[in-house]
Amino acid sequence: MSDDPGQMLLIYDDPSDQRSLSLDDASSTEESPDDNNLSLEAVHNAIPYLGQIFLTHDAAYEFYSTFAKRCGFSIRRHRTEGKDGVGKGLTRRYFVCHRAGNTPIKTLSEGKPQRNRRSSRCGCQAYLRISKLTELGSTEWRVTGFANHHNHELLEPNQVRFLPAYRSISDADKSRILMFSKTGISVQQMMRLLELEKCVEPGFLPFTEKDVRNLLQSFKKLDPEDENIDFLRMCQSIKEKDPNFKFEFTLDANDKLENIAWSYASSIQSYELFGDAVVFDTTHRLSAVEMPLGIWVGVNNYGVPCFFGCVLLRDENLRSWSWALQAFTGFMNGKAPQTILTDHNMCLKEAIAGEMPATKHALCIWMVVGKFPSWFNAGLGERYNDWKAEFYRLYHLESVEEFELGWRDMVNSFGLHTNRHINNLYASRSLWSLPYLRSHFLAGMTLTGRSKAINAFIQRFLSAQTRLAHFVEQVAVVVDFKDQATEQQTMQQNLQNISLKTGAPMESHAASVLTPFAFSKLQEQLVLAAHYASFQMDEGYLVRHHTKLDGGRKVYWVPQEGIISCSCQLFEFSGFLCRHALRVLSTGNCFQVPDRYLPLRWRRISTSFSKTFRSNAEDHGERVQLLQNLVSTLVSESAKSKERLDIATEQTSILLSRIREQPVSSLAIRDISSSVQRNF
């Protein structure tokens, strides 16, 4: 065949290479091997050579790619040549080093941000040229040009595998990665699991973390209409498995997904007992669908975060937030929380006022504090840490009057009179400052440790963001995992030996009723109560530390009605009696904490047990059967260890004593007799 370049049609794969690679278009197929001084020794003689024959140009590419990988570089298809005219086919192909050519200079556009990414191209001249040879109707490709001169360093074997040309994710690995993403684990954890499965050293997979993230990100490039259908199918699939799963959604005028909200059966059960104080975290976005994400979270009786519901909104306006709150209260059978903590959002604040008028709205202090570095660091400079310490001191004060005076002094001391963030914080102080919130129940969710646990819990949902339908399934997996983890943590807490520190009857009584987590909080107050003195006054008691000569807290106690309250309002705020009230009870020869001050939400009670028992039919015989099943389960679980059996014996004795204290009416006795006759 003729290689006459006079009638060649040049086709470049990349316009930037047109003048950057100087190849001799008219070079003969009889080039001398002396012009091809190799920079590396041949490995297994598998190096290209002039006259080498390949059946297809793809076979030549694979051969050259394998050679390049051994040498420490990668290749790309550079240009093709064919005879002038349509449909005449290719006659010559060029493959070049991945660093061949130079990046063209981009023209800057006013007002348009430019990516300042460094190019790896440096004008390398290494290449392989193959030409088409047709004889007796048979087509082959022959090497007619080869140069292995590189003007850059070649990579070591442990580095070359990171080049994009040699990184790939197999279909099997893609399936595993997508499955892992549904469990909520991080990309780093996915990589480690795949390394263990394939028995390779860390970092030796044929792809990188970036490749995995790109794969997960690619799922958002789907038809929104298909996404809507997949979402609805996924929700319906979950509902078929769990009829108590609830979800709501709205479509816009173009039938595109607008708002979605959902909750699981276990979440609704948890909310019934622990939905008195709720965090509504709206600080995240689901990047897979570019929608604001809202998550309702609470704290159970063991101090563990529990999931209540989730919502995705297209817009963050009053209408959207109102819809989200309506959907949530609908899931929870119309029950609104006593207190809801959120980020500072004026539209959300207005929506809460409209949809939950009886609910106290407060701001999550950790969401507020998280913005401090960007608000104050530059302006305060070296004084920032001192200012932050003073802010925390004011935040924890008990008296509104002390807070107002302290805030004024703080503003004067740090010269913040004209700072707009300080002025906004002061204007909204009733929503975040503890002196203004102590009369409202917050379940301790303003504490640093609790906020970190809630944040870590929420991050599990965001660790692997995939398609919308997969995200709904992923949340379900995380919630189920959390439920199982909570059960294990509950069991571990219950198996711990509780150490009594005061020897007081009130302490042992509280230990038998409260969860270990809740008891530890009350125990702290019981220990401190011994350091306080109480003085009976005309209107209640005055309680102060034994080292103080003035001040103190006012405690009001009505023994006949079992009512006690303190001016520090710790019980109203956290659900635990304070040291001042406990001191008065001890002085008054009270040997048990009044029942109303051991709230159900802090007691040893299983959420599933409570919900199952209440949701069963009203028929007495069915309730008896349910109780028998529970007793059977109690016996089988308790018999597994001596520690379990001791706990079961102690708690059952207490429960039996409480049951025997309850009166039994004659009508109830007749119902029981009828039930027994039916069952036997």
Side-chain angles (χ1 to χ4, degrees):
M1 62 176 279
S2 172
D3 285 331
D4 182 6
Q7 300 296 325
M8 293 295 177
L9 173 65
L10 299 183
I11 306 173
Y12 290 84
D13 292 335
D14 189 335
S16 65
D17 293 333
Q18 293 184 23
R19 294 178 302 277
S20 62
L21 183 61
S22 299
L23 301 179
D24 183 6
D25 295 334
S27 61
S28 168
T29 59
E30 303 299 327
E31 292 182 22
S32 170
D34 293 337
D35 294 331
N36 299 297
N37 298 322
L38 300 180
S39 59
L40 295 174
E41 295 181 0
V43 181
H44 305 303
N45 296 321
I47 63 174
Y49 58 90
L50 294 177
Q52 187 175 7
I53 300 296
F54 298 95
L55 294 179
T56 66
H57 56 79
D58 287 334
Y61 177 85
E62 293 298 328
F63 179 87
Y64 189 31
S65 179
T66 302
F67 167 77
K69 187 174 183 180
R70 286 199 309 271
C71 293
F73 67 102
S74 66
I75 65 171
R76 71 175 188 272
R77 292 176 174 86
H78 173 57
R79 72 186 187 188
T80 60
E81 297 174 354
K83 290 185 177 180
D84 193 13
V86 179
K88 297 298 182 180
L90 302 177
T91 61
R92 187 178 292 177
R93 298 210 66 156
Y94 288 86
F95 308 127
V96 298
C97 174
H98 74 288
R99 301 195 67 177
N102 294 290
T103 303
I105 300 175
K106 295 181 180 180
T107 57
L108 299 178
S109 301
E110 292 186 5
K112 185 177 180 180
Q114 299 294 320
R115 298 179 67 182
N116 188 22
R117 186 169 60 185
R118 184 178 179 182
S119 173
S120 64
R121 298 190 180 187
C122 59
C124 181
Q125 297 291 310
Y127 78 100
L128 177 76
R129 184 180 68 216
I130 58 175
S131 299
K132 190 175 182 180
L133 179 66
T134 303
E135 292 181 356
L136 300 176
S138 177
T139 301
E140 295 177 333
W141 291 85
R142 181 164 51 118
V143 176
T144 58
F146 173 59
N148 201 38
H149 297 288
H150 296 268
N151 63 353
H152 56 88
E153 291 185 3
L154 298 176
L155 300 177
E156 297 294 330
N158 64 336
Q159 298 173 322
V160 70
R161 59 194 175 84
F162 291 114
L163 292 174
Y166 304 125
R167 302 201 314 255
S168 63
I169 305 178
S170 67
D171 290 339
D173 288 339
K174 288 179 181 178
S175 298
R176 295 292 290 165
I177 290 168
L178 295 178
M179 187 198 73
F180 290 150
S181 72
K182 296 177 184 179
T183 67
I185 66 175
S186 66
V187 172
Q188 284 183 330
Q189 291 171 320
M190 294 181 196
M191 297 290 286
R192 185 57 183 148
L193 285 173
L194 288 168
E195 289 166 353
L196 293 173
E197 288 179 357
K198 296 176 178 295
C199 298
V200 300
E201 292 295 322
F204 276 79
L205 288 171
F207 48 86
T208 64
E209 289 186 18
K210 182 179 179 180
D211 298 325
V212 174
R213 290 192 173 90
N214 289 338
L215 174 66
L216 297 176
Q217 190 74 3
S218 67
F219 276 87
K220 72 178 184 179
K221 299 177 181 178
L222 299 172
D223 188 332
E225 186 174 347
D226 292 340
E227 192 79 335
N228 296 350
I229 295 173
D230 288 345
F231 164 72
L232 295 176
R233 285 176 178 169
M234 178 57 68
C235 289
Q236 192 60 41
S237 174
I238 297 175
K239 193 166 185 66
E240 288 173 0
K241 298 175 184 177
D242 180 6
N244 293 318
F245 170 75
K246 296 183 179 181
F247 70 100
E248 293 286 346
F249 65 95
T250 62
L251 303 177
D252 63 14
N254 298 318
D255 287 335
K256 293 184 178 180
L257 197 58
E258 187 177 38
N259 304 311
I260 55 176
W262 66 95
S263 184
Y264 306 94
S266 61
S267 303
I268 297 170
Q269 293 175 16
S270 296
Y271 183 84
E272 187 171 339
L273 284 177
F274 312 120
D276 38 20
V278 174
V279 170
F280 186 28
D281 190 331
T282 60
T283 60
H284 305 282
R285 296 181 70 87
L286 186 61
S287 61
V289 287
E290 291 300 326
M291 297 177 77
L293 172 66
I295 301 177
W296 286 279
V297 184
V299 174
N300 71 7
N301 51 341
Y302 285 83
V304 178
C306 50
F307 175 87
F308 292 145
C310 208
V311 66
L312 284 165
L313 305 172
R314 179 183 298 175
D315 301 310
E316 296 182 83
N317 53 33
L318 176 59
R319 175 176 168 273
S320 297
W321 291 126
S322 296
W323 179 88
L325 297 174
Q326 290 172 11
F328 179 71
T329 52
F331 295 158
M332 305 307 167
N333 302 310
K335 179 182 176 182
Q338 295 178 26
T339 308
I340 185 168
L341 296 97
T342 73
D343 191 18
H344 202 306
N345 184 305
M346 294 306 296
C347 288
L348 180 56
K349 178 183 177 183
E350 188 176 346
I352 291 173
E355 301 299 331
M356 299 178 175
T359 297
K360 171 60 181 177
H361 180 210
L363 300 182
C364 281
I365 188 61
W366 71 80
M367 296 182 189
V368 174
V369 172
K371 300 171 184 176
F372 282 0
S374 61
W375 285 357
F376 302 112
N377 213 339
L380 291 171
E382 296 179 354
R383 305 183 69 195
Y384 171 73
N385 288 332
D386 293 336
W387 171 83
K388 192 173 180 180
E390 177 62 11
F391 174 86
Y392 274 120
R393 187 189 72 82
L394 297 176
Y395 168 74
H396 286 102
L397 290 174
E398 292 185 1
S399 166
V400 171
E401 291 75 15
E402 288 179 319
F403 174 85
E404 294 289 344
L405 291 174
W407 187 272
R408 190 182 311 156
D409 293 341
M410 179 265 290
V411 170
N412 292 332
S413 176
F414 290 89
L416 297 172
H417 300 85
T418 59
N419 187 288
R420 64 184 181 90
H421 297 300
I422 282 291
N423 294 332
N424 289 336
L425 282 173
Y426 182 73
S428 61
R429 62 192 181 282
S430 62
L431 299 179
W432 58 264
S433 177
L434 289 187
Y436 291 92
L437 296 175
R438 293 193 181 278
S439 60
H440 301 280
F441 182 71
L442 298 180
M445 288 192 290
T446 58
L447 301 176
T448 303
R450 203 74 51 80
S451 67
K452 288 181 179 179
I454 292 174
N455 264 326
F457 178 50
I458 291 174
Q459 288 302 319
R460 290 188 60 85
F461 301 126
L462 307 171
S463 58
Q465 298 196 19
T466 58
R467 292 177 53 194
L468 175 59
H470 289 165
F471 180 72
V472 175
E473 188 179 31
Q474 175 183 317
V475 173
V477 171
V478 174
V479 170
D480 182 62
F481 172 81
K482 192 65 181 180
D483 289 342
Q484 295 178 22
T486 299
E487 290 181 5
Q488 294 178 356
Q489 189 168 346
T490 297
M491 185 178 298
Q492 291 174 358
Q493 280 196 34
N494 288 333
L495 291 177
Q496 292 175 355
N497 292 324
I498 295 177
S499 176
L500 301 181
K501 298 180 179 180
T502 68
M506 273 194 296
E507 185 183 19
S508 58
H509 171 244
S512 67
V513 176
L514 301 176
T515 64
F517 165 80
F519 172 69
S520 68
K521 301 300 179 184
L522 183 65
Q523 189 180 51
E524 292 175 5
Q525 299 299 317
L526 281 166
V527 171
L528 292 172
H531 298 269
Y532 284 75
S534 64
F535 307 93
Q536 189 165 7
M537 313 290 286
D538 293 337
E539 298 180 355
Y541 294 79
L542 179 66
V543 181
R544 60 171 172 249
H545 197 270
H546 71 95
T547 61
K548 305 292 183 182
L549 298 178
D550 55 9
R553 300 291 180 267
K554 294 182 179 179
V555 177
Y556 301 92
W557 183 32
V558 184
Q560 299 82 358
E561 299 179 11
I563 296 176
I564 191 167
S565 64
C566 179
S567 60
C568 78
Q569 297 182 310
L570 179 65
F571 179 78
E572 290 80 1
F573 181 69
S574 66
F576 305 112
L577 277 182
C578 63
R579 65 201 75 172
H580 317 108
L582 291 170
R583 178 58 182 170
V584 171
L585 290 176
S586 178
T587 304
N589 298 322
C590 185
F591 300 108
Q592 288 189 354
V593 177
D595 197 60
R596 69 174 64 189
Y597 298 107
L598 297 173
L600 182 64
R601 69 116 49 238
W602 294 128
R603 295 193 182 199
R604 295 173 183 261
I605 181 171
S606 168
T607 310
S608 57
F609 168 86
S610 173
K611 182 66 179 180
T612 302
F613 196 86
R614 283 194 295 272
S615 63
N616 264 270
E618 293 297 323
D619 183 79
H620 184 87
E622 293 185 15
R623 294 203 301 271
V624 170
Q625 183 62 47
L626 173 62
L627 181 59
Q628 289 174 341
N629 294 338
L630 290 171
V631 170
S632 176
T633 303
L634 174 66
V635 172
S636 62
E637 289 293 326
S638 302
K640 292 180 179 178
S641 70
K642 180 180 180 300
E643 292 77 11
R644 287 190 179 191
L645 191 59
D646 290 343
I647 293 173
T649 303
E650 178 186 358
Q651 295 301 314
T652 304
S653 299
I654 295 172
L655 177 61
L656 187 58
S657 299
R658 292 184 60 190
I659 291 173
R660 285 171 174 166
E661 293 175 358
Q662 302 299 314
V664 180
S665 65
S666 58
L667 179 60
I669 293 176
R670 287 198 300 272
D671 290 340
I672 294 173
S673 299
S674 300
S675 173
V676 171
Q677 290 174 4
R678 287 197 304 271
N679 290 332
F680 294 94

